[in-house]
Amino acid sequence: GQQVMQIPQYQHVQEGEDFTTYCNSSTTLSNIQWYKQRPGGHPVFLIQLVKSGEVKKQKRLTFQFGEAKKNSSLHITATQTTDVGTYFCNYGGATNKLIFGTGTLLAVQP
Amino acid sequence: SQTIHQWPATLVQPVGSPLSLECTVEGTSNPNLYWYRQAAGRGLQLLFYSVGIGQISSEVPQNLSASRPQDRQFILSSKKLLLSDSGFYLCAWSIGGHPGNTIYFGEGSWLTVV
């Protein structure tokens, strides 16, 4: 069956450093979504990528969808303490069964 | 606008007791509904999803069950809780009939089984 790995599981950075999390699939994905969950909160939608090679930006966040649509990345430039939380990819794609990656917990030290 | 309500927000239940978590969505019709569980510091585990009234798909065999008695109501239940049922339970919805759409989560319910 479809397997999606999200790496790393945990990342600790100094404020101002960059951060990247990756979502890698064994099969082609129809689309991918990224969510952020603040500590103690619920996941909140960030963005959806649909096209092969697609790149989208939200201020300091850059999202990419691989050419083969098997992987995706979320890059944060110059992290801030407000970026703390867990970042999840979601790859339900063409079905109603929406599965999340294992998540990457980001800790930012001021 | 659409809203999702989930309750109770927190509860502490003894082992062997029943459970009922309720979720309602407002402002939309025929949504897809989901129950996820998140153990402390862990990922989001899909428990159940529903594409319509009375239609429940179970993803993980366990002592939990879900029901959808009305279009915008989703209930998570257990007859006898286990210690391993402790966790953060999240109800969510997405637009029905459109696979791959954005998921909107409720505030979550913290369950501690003692």
Side-chain angles (χ1 to χ4, degrees):
Chain A
Q2 184 176 61
Q3 293 185 359
V4 177
M5 297 294 295
Q6 192 171 348
I7 54 173
Q9 289 189 346
Y10 173 76
Q11 184 86 54
H12 179 210
V13 300
Q14 292 284 112
E15 190 172 21
E17 292 182 338
D18 292 354
F19 159 78
T20 305
T21 175
Y22 301 88
C23 204
N24 299 316
S25 171
S26 58
T27 58
T28 302
L29 304 172
S30 58
N31 67 64
I32 198 161
Q33 300 173 359
W34 286 94
Y35 292 74
K36 176 184 178 181
Q37 183 179 24
R38 294 183 183 275
H42 60 276
V44 174
F45 173 77
L46 293 176
I47 209 155
Q48 176 170 279
L49 304 172
V50 179
K51 300 176 183 177
S52 168
E54 188 170 15
V55 178
K56 288 188 177 181
K57 291 190 176 184
Q58 289 180 350
K59 297 182 179 178
R60 295 177 294 103
L61 276 62
T62 302
F63 304 84
Q64 292 189 333
F65 204 7
E67 292 291 341
K69 300 182 75 173
K70 287 187 175 182
N71 54 70
S72 180
S73 65
L74 184 171
H75 179 83
I76 302 178
T77 304
T79 55
Q80 300 176 359
T81 54
T82 53
D83 295 325
V84 165
T86 302
Y87 293 85
F88 293 98
C89 61
N90 168 277
Y91 49 94
T95 74
N96 292 301
K97 176 180 167 180
L98 302 179
I99 306 295
F100 283 84
T102 50
T104 297
L105 174 61
L106 172 63
V108 180
Q109 184 169 351
Chain B
S1 63
Q2 301 88 2
T3 57
I4 179 170
H5 302 282
Q6 178 181 349
W7 68 94
T10 60
L11 66 166
V12 179
Q13 296 284 100
V15 170
S17 65
L19 171 74
S20 181
L21 300 179
E22 190 164 342
C23 173
T24 59
V25 180
E26 298 176 0
T28 188
S29 297
N30 196 31
N32 294 332
L33 297 172
Y34 308 85
W35 278 110
Y36 290 88
R37 177 170 63 196
Q38 187 175 35
R42 304 293 294 275
L44 296 162
Q45 179 187 31
L46 178 62
L47 300 176
F48 302 95
Y49 69 96
S50 170
V51 299
I53 296 175
Q55 300 178 58
I56 309 294
S57 296
S58 174
E59 290 303 303
V60 183
Q62 56 211 334
N63 66 320
L64 299 173
S65 62
S67 61
R68 185 170 178 173
Q70 300 181 45
D71 180 44
R72 291 168 292 173
Q73 183 185 26
F74 206 23
I75 299 171
L76 182 69
S77 304
S78 174
K79 293 182 178 179
K80 289 185 178 182
L81 285 168
L82 306 172
L83 285 174
S84 57
D85 291 324
S86 293
F88 189 42
Y89 288 81
L90 289 155
C91 181
W93 74 274
S94 66
I95 295 176
H98 294 272
N101 257 343
T102 302
I103 306 172
Y104 302 93
F105 286 86
E107 297 293 325
S109 299
W110 290 96
L111 169 65
T112 303
V113 182
V114 296

PDB file of all heavy atoms in Angstrom, chain A residues 1-31:
ATOM      1  N   GLY A   1       0.807  -1.192   0.000  1.00  0.00           N
ATOM      2  CA  GLY A   1       0.000   0.000   0.000  1.00  0.00           C
ATOM      3  C   GLY A   1       0.853   1.259   0.000  1.00  0.00           C
ATOM      4  O   GLY A   1       2.075   1.222   0.064  1.00  0.00           O
ATOM      5  N   GLN A   2       0.154   2.362  -0.073  1.00  0.00           N
ATOM      6  CA  GLN A   2       0.861   3.640  -0.124  1.00  0.00           C
ATOM      7  C   GLN A   2       1.556   3.915   1.197  1.00  0.00           C
ATOM      8  O   GLN A   2       0.983   3.725   2.264  1.00  0.00           O
ATOM      9  CB  GLN A   2      -0.151   4.751  -0.413  1.00  0.00           C
ATOM     10  CG  GLN A   2       0.467   6.117  -0.588  1.00  0.00           C
ATOM     11  CD  GLN A   2      -0.565   7.154  -0.970  1.00  0.00           C
ATOM     12  OE1 GLN A   2      -1.500   7.400  -0.211  1.00  0.00           O
ATOM     13  NE2 GLN A   2      -0.428   7.729  -2.128  1.00  0.00           N
ATOM     14  N   GLN A   3       2.806   4.350   1.121  1.00  0.00           N
ATOM     15  CA  GLN A   3       3.563   4.706   2.307  1.00  0.00           C
ATOM     16  C   GLN A   3       4.130   6.098   2.129  1.00  0.00           C
ATOM     17  O   GLN A   3       4.710   6.419   1.094  1.00  0.00           O
ATOM     18  CB  GLN A   3       4.688   3.708   2.547  1.00  0.00           C
ATOM     19  CG  GLN A   3       4.208   2.313   2.919  1.00  0.00           C
ATOM     20  CD  GLN A   3       5.348   1.380   3.270  1.00  0.00           C
ATOM     21  OE1 GLN A   3       6.499   1.766   3.210  1.00  0.00           O
ATOM     22  NE2 GLN A   3       5.028   0.163   3.634  1.00  0.00           N
ATOM     23  N   VAL A   4       3.936   6.910   3.129  1.00  0.00           N
ATOM     24  CA  VAL A   4       4.469   8.268   3.113  1.00  0.00           C
ATOM     25  C   VAL A   4       5.270   8.487   4.378  1.00  0.00           C
ATOM     26  O   VAL A   4       4.768   8.263   5.481  1.00  0.00           O
ATOM     27  CB  VAL A   4       3.351   9.311   3.011  1.00  0.00           C
ATOM     28  CG1 VAL A   4       3.937  10.712   3.062  1.00  0.00           C
ATOM     29  CG2 VAL A   4       2.557   9.131   1.736  1.00  0.00           C
ATOM     30  N   MET A   5       6.505   8.895   4.189  1.00  0.00           N
ATOM     31  CA  MET A   5       7.390   9.176   5.307  1.00  0.00           C
ATOM     32  C   MET A   5       7.590  10.676   5.405  1.00  0.00           C
ATOM     33  O   MET A   5       7.795  11.367   4.400  1.00  0.00           O
ATOM     34  CB  MET A   5       8.738   8.499   5.092  1.00  0.00           C
ATOM     35  CG  MET A   5       8.659   6.979   5.049  1.00  0.00           C
ATOM     36  SD  MET A   5       8.164   6.296   6.636  1.00  0.00           S
ATOM     37  CE  MET A   5       9.569   6.768   7.632  1.00  0.00           C
ATOM     38  N   GLN A   6       7.541  11.175   6.635  1.00  0.00           N
ATOM     39  CA  GLN A   6       7.798  12.586   6.852  1.00  0.00           C
ATOM     40  C   GLN A   6       9.054  12.688   7.711  1.00  0.00           C
ATOM     41  O   GLN A   6       9.133  12.085   8.793  1.00  0.00           O
ATOM     42  CB  GLN A   6       6.608  13.266   7.539  1.00  0.00           C
ATOM     43  CG  GLN A   6       6.706  14.772   7.527  1.00  0.00           C
ATOM     44  CD  GLN A   6       5.442  15.462   7.997  1.00  0.00           C
ATOM     45  OE1 GLN A   6       4.380  14.852   8.148  1.00  0.00           O
ATOM     46  NE2 GLN A   6       5.553  16.752   8.244  1.00  0.00           N
ATOM     47  N   ILE A   7      10.022  13.468   7.263  1.00  0.00           N
ATOM     48  CA  ILE A   7      11.277  13.608   7.982  1.00  0.00           C
ATOM     49  C   ILE A   7      11.715  15.062   8.032  1.00  0.00           C
ATOM     50  O   ILE A   7      11.376  15.833   7.128  1.00  0.00           O
ATOM     51  CB  ILE A   7      12.395  12.759   7.315  1.00  0.00           C
ATOM     52  CG1 ILE A   7      12.522  13.100   5.829  1.00  0.00           C
ATOM     53  CG2 ILE A   7      12.121  11.285   7.527  1.00  0.00           C
ATOM     54  CD1 ILE A   7      13.701  12.424   5.168  1.00  0.00           C
ATOM     55  N   PRO A   8      12.434  15.442   9.096  1.00  0.00           N
ATOM     56  CA  PRO A   8      12.727  14.645  10.285  1.00  0.00           C
ATOM     57  C   PRO A   8      11.522  14.601  11.221  1.00  0.00           C
ATOM     58  O   PRO A   8      10.536  15.297  11.000  1.00  0.00           O
ATOM     59  CB  PRO A   8      13.873  15.425  10.927  1.00  0.00           C
ATOM     60  CG  PRO A   8      13.573  16.853  10.565  1.00  0.00           C
ATOM     61  CD  PRO A   8      12.987  16.799   9.182  1.00  0.00           C
ATOM     62  N   GLN A   9      11.593  13.797  12.253  1.00  0.00           N
ATOM     63  CA  GLN A   9      10.512  13.745  13.234  1.00  0.00           C
ATOM     64  C   GLN A   9      10.579  14.945  14.156  1.00  0.00           C
ATOM     65  O   GLN A   9       9.552  15.410  14.665  1.00  0.00           O
ATOM     66  CB  GLN A   9      10.602  12.469  14.056  1.00  0.00           C
ATOM     67  CG  GLN A   9      10.241  11.217  13.279  1.00  0.00           C
ATOM     68  CD  GLN A   9      10.129  10.002  14.178  1.00  0.00           C
ATOM     69  OE1 GLN A   9      10.562  10.032  15.328  1.00  0.00           O
ATOM     70  NE2 GLN A   9       9.561   8.946  13.659  1.00  0.00           N
ATOM     71  N   TYR A  10      11.794  15.413  14.370  1.00  0.00           N
ATOM     72  CA  TYR A  10      12.004  16.524  15.296  1.00  0.00           C
ATOM     73  C   TYR A  10      13.177  17.362  14.808  1.00  0.00           C
ATOM     74  O   TYR A  10      14.158  16.830  14.295  1.00  0.00           O
ATOM     75  CB  TYR A  10      12.290  15.973  16.702  1.00  0.00           C
ATOM     76  CG  TYR A  10      12.688  17.016  17.708  1.00  0.00           C
ATOM     77  CD1 TYR A  10      11.729  17.859  18.264  1.00  0.00           C
ATOM     78  CD2 TYR A  10      14.012  17.173  18.107  1.00  0.00           C
ATOM     79  CE1 TYR A  10      12.088  18.822  19.193  1.00  0.00           C
ATOM     80  CE2 TYR A  10      14.372  18.130  19.035  1.00  0.00           C
ATOM     81  CZ  TYR A  10      13.406  18.951  19.576  1.00  0.00           C
ATOM     82  OH  TYR A  10      13.759  19.905  20.491  1.00  0.00           O
ATOM     83  N   GLN A  11      13.042  18.679  14.947  1.00  0.00           N
ATOM     84  CA  GLN A  11      14.112  19.590  14.584  1.00  0.00           C
ATOM     85  C   GLN A  11      14.154  20.735  15.590  1.00  0.00           C
ATOM     86  O   GLN A  11      13.136  21.371  15.868  1.00  0.00           O
ATOM     87  CB  GLN A  11      13.868  20.151  13.179  1.00  0.00           C
ATOM     88  CG  GLN A  11      14.983  21.038  12.656  1.00  0.00           C
ATOM     89  CD  GLN A  11      16.084  20.250  11.984  1.00  0.00           C
ATOM     90  OE1 GLN A  11      15.824  19.477  11.079  1.00  0.00           O
ATOM     91  NE2 GLN A  11      17.300  20.461  12.425  1.00  0.00           N
ATOM     92  N   HIS A  12      15.366  20.955  16.093  1.00  0.00           N
ATOM     93  CA  HIS A  12      15.572  22.057  17.032  1.00  0.00           C
ATOM     94  C   HIS A  12      16.511  23.050  16.367  1.00  0.00           C
ATOM     95  O   HIS A  12      17.614  22.677  15.953  1.00  0.00           O
ATOM     96  CB  HIS A  12      16.177  21.510  18.336  1.00  0.00           C
ATOM     97  CG  HIS A  12      16.438  22.565  19.360  1.00  0.00           C
ATOM     98  ND1 HIS A  12      17.453  22.461  20.284  1.00  0.00           N
ATOM     99  CD2 HIS A  12      15.814  23.743  19.594  1.00  0.00           C
ATOM    100  CE1 HIS A  12      17.435  23.544  21.064  1.00  0.00           C
ATOM    101  NE2 HIS A  12      16.441  24.322  20.665  1.00  0.00           N
ATOM    102  N   VAL A  13      16.085  24.299  16.231  1.00  0.00           N
ATOM    103  CA  VAL A  13      16.900  25.307  15.581  1.00  0.00           C
ATOM    104  C   VAL A  13      17.012  26.540  16.465  1.00  0.00           C
ATOM    105  O   VAL A  13      16.189  26.763  17.354  1.00  0.00           O
ATOM    106  CB  VAL A  13      16.318  25.710  14.205  1.00  0.00           C
ATOM    107  CG1 VAL A  13      16.238  24.505  13.281  1.00  0.00           C
ATOM    108  CG2 VAL A  13      14.962  26.377  14.352  1.00  0.00           C
ATOM    109  N   GLN A  14      18.037  27.329  16.167  1.00  0.00           N
ATOM    110  CA  GLN A  14      18.164  28.640  16.797  1.00  0.00           C
ATOM    111  C   GLN A  14      17.310  29.616  15.994  1.00  0.00           C
ATOM    112  O   GLN A  14      17.207  29.505  14.760  1.00  0.00           O
ATOM    113  CB  GLN A  14      19.601  29.111  16.775  1.00  0.00           C
ATOM    114  CG  GLN A  14      20.558  28.319  17.655  1.00  0.00           C
ATOM    115  CD  GLN A  14      20.400  28.680  19.117  1.00  0.00           C
ATOM    116  OE1 GLN A  14      19.947  27.865  19.912  1.00  0.00           O
ATOM    117  NE2 GLN A  14      20.759  29.884  19.465  1.00  0.00           N
ATOM    118  N   GLU A  15      16.729  30.554  16.668  1.00  0.00           N
ATOM    119  CA  GLU A  15      15.930  31.554  15.969  1.00  0.00           C
ATOM    120  C   GLU A  15      16.787  32.225  14.902  1.00  0.00           C
ATOM    121  O   GLU A  15      17.932  32.612  15.151  1.00  0.00           O
ATOM    122  CB  GLU A  15      15.412  32.600  16.964  1.00  0.00           C
ATOM    123  CG  GLU A  15      14.382  33.541  16.372  1.00  0.00           C
ATOM    124  CD  GLU A  15      13.741  34.433  17.419  1.00  0.00           C
ATOM    125  OE1 GLU A  15      14.343  34.605  18.499  1.00  0.00           O
ATOM    126  OE2 GLU A  15      12.633  34.943  17.162  1.00  0.00           O
ATOM    127  N   GLY A  16      16.220  32.336  13.706  1.00  0.00           N
ATOM    128  CA  GLY A  16      16.960  32.928  12.599  1.00  0.00           C
ATOM    129  C   GLY A  16      17.517  31.892  11.633  1.00  0.00           C
ATOM    130  O   GLY A  16      17.833  32.216  10.475  1.00  0.00           O
ATOM    131  N   GLU A  17      17.643  30.656  12.093  1.00  0.00           N
ATOM    132  CA  GLU A  17      18.091  29.586  11.197  1.00  0.00           C
ATOM    133  C   GLU A  17      16.942  29.127  10.315  1.00  0.00           C
ATOM    134  O   GLU A  17      15.775  29.343  10.618  1.00  0.00           O
ATOM    135  CB  GLU A  17      18.622  28.407  12.010  1.00  0.00           C
ATOM    136  CG  GLU A  17      19.920  28.699  12.751  1.00  0.00           C
ATOM    137  CD  GLU A  17      20.427  27.488  13.511  1.00  0.00           C
ATOM    138  OE1 GLU A  17      19.614  26.588  13.813  1.00  0.00           O
ATOM    139  OE2 GLU A  17      21.631  27.444  13.810  1.00  0.00           O
ATOM    140  N   ASP A  18      17.302  28.463   9.215  1.00  0.00           N
ATOM    141  CA  ASP A  18      16.291  27.925   8.310  1.00  0.00           C
ATOM    142  C   ASP A  18      15.867  26.527   8.766  1.00  0.00           C
ATOM    143  O   ASP A  18      16.584  25.857   9.523  1.00  0.00           O
ATOM    144  CB  ASP A  18      16.832  27.853   6.885  1.00  0.00           C
ATOM    145  CG  ASP A  18      17.073  29.221   6.275  1.00  0.00           C
ATOM    146  OD1 ASP A  18      16.715  30.237   6.912  1.00  0.00           O
ATOM    147  OD2 ASP A  18      17.611  29.284   5.151  1.00  0.00           O
ATOM    148  N   PHE A  19      14.718  26.101   8.254  1.00  0.00           N
ATOM    149  CA  PHE A  19      14.171  24.794   8.620  1.00  0.00           C
ATOM    150  C   PHE A  19      13.475  24.195   7.404  1.00  0.00           C
ATOM    151  O   PHE A  19      12.815  24.907   6.630  1.00  0.00           O
ATOM    152  CB  PHE A  19      13.154  24.959   9.762  1.00  0.00           C
ATOM    153  CG  PHE A  19      12.171  23.823   9.894  1.00  0.00           C
ATOM    154  CD1 PHE A  19      12.550  22.628  10.483  1.00  0.00           C
ATOM    155  CD2 PHE A  19      10.861  23.949   9.445  1.00  0.00           C
ATOM    156  CE1 PHE A  19      11.640  21.584  10.615  1.00  0.00           C
ATOM    157  CE2 PHE A  19       9.949  22.912   9.577  1.00  0.00           C
ATOM    158  CZ  PHE A  19      10.346  21.727  10.168  1.00  0.00           C
ATOM    159  N   THR A  20      13.647  22.880   7.218  1.00  0.00           N
ATOM    160  CA  THR A  20      12.962  22.191   6.130  1.00  0.00           C
ATOM    161  C   THR A  20      12.433  20.850   6.614  1.00  0.00           C
ATOM    162  O   THR A  20      13.125  20.113   7.318  1.00  0.00           O
ATOM    163  CB  THR A  20      13.901  21.947   4.935  1.00  0.00           C
ATOM    164  OG1 THR A  20      14.477  23.179   4.516  1.00  0.00           O
ATOM    165  CG2 THR A  20      13.119  21.346   3.770  1.00  0.00           C
ATOM    166  N   THR A  21      11.210  20.530   6.225  1.00  0.00           N
ATOM    167  CA  THR A  21      10.631  19.215   6.473  1.00  0.00           C
ATOM    168  C   THR A  21      10.202  18.620   5.143  1.00  0.00           C
ATOM    169  O   THR A  21       9.800  19.343   4.231  1.00  0.00           O
ATOM    170  CB  THR A  21       9.451  19.281   7.462  1.00  0.00           C
ATOM    171  OG1 THR A  21       8.856  17.979   7.577  1.00  0.00           O
ATOM    172  CG2 THR A  21       8.386  20.261   7.006  1.00  0.00           C
ATOM    173  N   TYR A  22      10.309  17.290   5.051  1.00  0.00           N
ATOM    174  CA  TYR A  22      10.051  16.613   3.796  1.00  0.00           C
ATOM    175  C   TYR A  22       8.970  15.547   3.968  1.00  0.00           C
ATOM    176  O   TYR A  22       8.890  14.886   4.991  1.00  0.00           O
ATOM    177  CB  TYR A  22      11.321  15.922   3.294  1.00  0.00           C
ATOM    178  CG  TYR A  22      12.482  16.851   3.083  1.00  0.00           C
ATOM    179  CD1 TYR A  22      13.360  17.133   4.126  1.00  0.00           C
ATOM    180  CD2 TYR A  22      12.705  17.447   1.847  1.00  0.00           C
ATOM    181  CE1 TYR A  22      14.436  17.991   3.938  1.00  0.00           C
ATOM    182  CE2 TYR A  22      13.778  18.293   1.650  1.00  0.00           C
ATOM    183  CZ  TYR A  22      14.633  18.560   2.704  1.00  0.00           C
ATOM    184  OH  TYR A  22      15.695  19.407   2.516  1.00  0.00           O
ATOM    185  N   CYS A  23       8.192  15.371   2.919  1.00  0.00           N
ATOM    186  CA  CYS A  23       7.175  14.333   2.879  1.00  0.00           C
ATOM    187  C   CYS A  23       7.473  13.502   1.634  1.00  0.00           C
ATOM    188  O   CYS A  23       7.475  14.027   0.513  1.00  0.00           O
ATOM    189  CB  CYS A  23       5.807  14.997   2.782  1.00  0.00           C
ATOM    190  SG  CYS A  23       4.461  14.010   3.373  1.00  0.00           S
ATOM    191  N   ASN A  24       7.768  12.208   1.820  1.00  0.00           N
ATOM    192  CA  ASN A  24       8.170  11.359   0.705  1.00  0.00           C
ATOM    193  C   ASN A  24       7.226  10.173   0.569  1.00  0.00           C
ATOM    194  O   ASN A  24       7.001   9.441   1.534  1.00  0.00           O
ATOM    195  CB  ASN A  24       9.598  10.851   0.915  1.00  0.00           C
ATOM    196  CG  ASN A  24      10.585  11.991   0.993  1.00  0.00           C
ATOM    197  OD1 ASN A  24      10.547  12.937   0.204  1.00  0.00           O
ATOM    198  ND2 ASN A  24      11.481  11.929   1.961  1.00  0.00           N
ATOM    199  N   SER A  25       6.722   9.966  -0.643  1.00  0.00           N
ATOM    200  CA  SER A  25       5.757   8.903  -0.899  1.00  0.00           C
ATOM    201  C   SER A  25       6.351   7.821  -1.794  1.00  0.00           C
ATOM    202  O   SER A  25       7.188   8.098  -2.647  1.00  0.00           O
ATOM    203  CB  SER A  25       4.514   9.490  -1.560  1.00  0.00           C
ATOM    204  OG  SER A  25       3.649   8.463  -2.003  1.00  0.00           O
ATOM    205  N   SER A  26       5.865   6.608  -1.595  1.00  0.00           N
ATOM    206  CA  SER A  26       6.300   5.509  -2.454  1.00  0.00           C
ATOM    207  C   SER A  26       5.495   5.480  -3.759  1.00  0.00           C
ATOM    208  O   SER A  26       5.872   4.801  -4.708  1.00  0.00           O
ATOM    209  CB  SER A  26       6.145   4.173  -1.727  1.00  0.00           C
ATOM    210  OG  SER A  26       4.796   3.981  -1.323  1.00  0.00           O
ATOM    211  N   THR A  27       4.394   6.214  -3.790  1.00  0.00           N
ATOM    212  CA  THR A  27       3.565   6.261  -4.996  1.00  0.00           C
ATOM    213  C   THR A  27       3.261   7.710  -5.361  1.00  0.00           C
ATOM    214  O   THR A  27       3.459   8.611  -4.563  1.00  0.00           O
ATOM    215  CB  THR A  27       2.248   5.509  -4.781  1.00  0.00           C
ATOM    216  OG1 THR A  27       1.563   6.101  -3.661  1.00  0.00           O
ATOM    217  CG2 THR A  27       2.483   4.041  -4.481  1.00  0.00           C
ATOM    218  N   THR A  28       2.791   7.907  -6.555  1.00  0.00           N
ATOM    219  CA  THR A  28       2.449   9.250  -7.013  1.00  0.00           C
ATOM    220  C   THR A  28       1.232   9.783  -6.268  1.00  0.00           C
ATOM    221  O   THR A  28       0.250   9.074  -6.071  1.00  0.00           O
ATOM    222  CB  THR A  28       2.162   9.232  -8.529  1.00  0.00           C
ATOM    223  OG1 THR A  28       3.313   8.737  -9.208  1.00  0.00           O
ATOM    224  CG2 THR A  28       1.839  10.638  -9.028  1.00  0.00           C
ATOM    225  N   LEU A  29       1.308  11.026  -5.856  1.00  0.00           N
ATOM    226  CA  LEU A  29       0.221  11.667  -5.125  1.00  0.00           C
ATOM    227  C   LEU A  29      -0.554  12.590  -6.061  1.00  0.00           C
ATOM    228  O   LEU A  29       0.035  13.275  -6.891  1.00  0.00           O
ATOM    229  CB  LEU A  29       0.777  12.473  -3.953  1.00  0.00           C
ATOM    230  CG  LEU A  29       1.655  11.704  -2.955  1.00  0.00           C
ATOM    231  CD1 LEU A  29       2.297  12.662  -1.957  1.00  0.00           C
ATOM    232  CD2 LEU A  29       0.835  10.657  -2.224  1.00  0.00           C
ATOM    233  N   SER A  30      -1.859  12.634  -5.912  1.00  0.00           N
ATOM    234  CA  SER A  30      -2.644  13.544  -6.749  1.00  0.00           C
ATOM    235  C   SER A  30      -2.496  14.981  -6.251  1.00  0.00           C
ATOM    236  O   SER A  30      -2.509  15.921  -7.047  1.00  0.00           O
ATOM    237  CB  SER A  30      -4.119  13.138  -6.754  1.00  0.00           C
ATOM    238  OG  SER A  30      -4.621  13.129  -5.431  1.00  0.00           O
ATOM    239  N   ASN A  31      -2.384  15.148  -4.965  1.00  0.00           N
ATOM    240  CA  ASN A  31      -2.103  16.464  -4.413  1.00  0.00           C
ATOM    241  C   ASN A  31      -1.553  16.286  -3.007  1.00  0.00           C
ATOM    242  O   ASN A  31      -1.542  15.168  -2.478  1.00  0.00           O
ATOM    243  CB  ASN A  31      -3.350  17.352  -4.382  1.00  0.00           C
ATOM    244  CG  ASN A  31      -4.407  16.843  -3.416  1.00  0.00           C
ATOM    245  OD1 ASN A  31      -4.202  16.793  -2.216  1.00  0.00           O
ATOM    246  ND2 ASN A  31      -5.552  16.457  -3.944  1.00  0.00           N
TER     247      ASN A  31
END
